[in-house]
Amino acid sequence: MSVIDDTNHNFWVNEVGFFIEKEENGKKVDVLFAVYSHPDKPIAYKSAEVDLLLAFDLVLTGVPADAITIVDSGVDLNILIAPELAKVGAAQISNMYRHLKQKFELMDKGIL
């Protein structure tokens, strides 16, 4: 399970809640099913300048496997590395350009 907060807010994450969806009177309702918190230690700090990504493993025991349906509507984690990949790509293209420019200059001088 993963969560991303890309807002420009500063805050401490002190607890995390897990919700299940159940049907009541013909309507789907989200119900708080589990909470994790620690009285003395926050889980994380969200700075306005940085996107916060939290990932959790939730282990369910004593529940029949066919009684659980997992619907992934989570975050596309590729968005977190896109800016870095763009920088690496730009650096590689710039390096290739300089290399080819040098090769052509050497060829023009008859060295290669």
Side-chain angles (χ1 to χ4, degrees), residues 35-109:
V35 174
Y36 172 81
S37 66
H38 191 285
D40 301 321
K41 292 192 314 189
I43 298 168
Y45 179 74
K46 164 63 174 87
S47 170
E49 293 81 29
V50 179
D51 293 348
L52 174 65
L53 173 66
L54 294 175
F56 303 95
D57 292 330
L58 181 63
V59 179
L60 302 173
T61 58
V63 180
D66 60 350
I68 300 170
T69 303
I70 297 172
V71 179
D72 180 17
S73 58
V75 178
D76 179 9
L77 298 179
N78 291 330
I79 64 171
L80 298 175
I81 62 170
E84 285 74 19
L85 289 177
K87 290 176 190 174
V88 168
Q92 287 178 329
I93 291 169
S94 177
N95 189 41
M96 286 186 274
Y97 169 76
R98 287 191 307 273
H99 179 74
L100 287 174
K101 184 177 174 185
Q102 182 184 31
K103 285 268 192 185
F104 285 128
E105 287 174 3
L106 292 173
M107 288 171 63
D108 288 345
K109 293 178 181 179

Side-chain angles (χ1 to χ4, degrees), residues 17-20 31-35 58 60:
F18 296 89
F19 290 81
I20 60 173
V31 177
L32 182 62
F33 142 76
V35 174
L58 181 63
L60 302 173

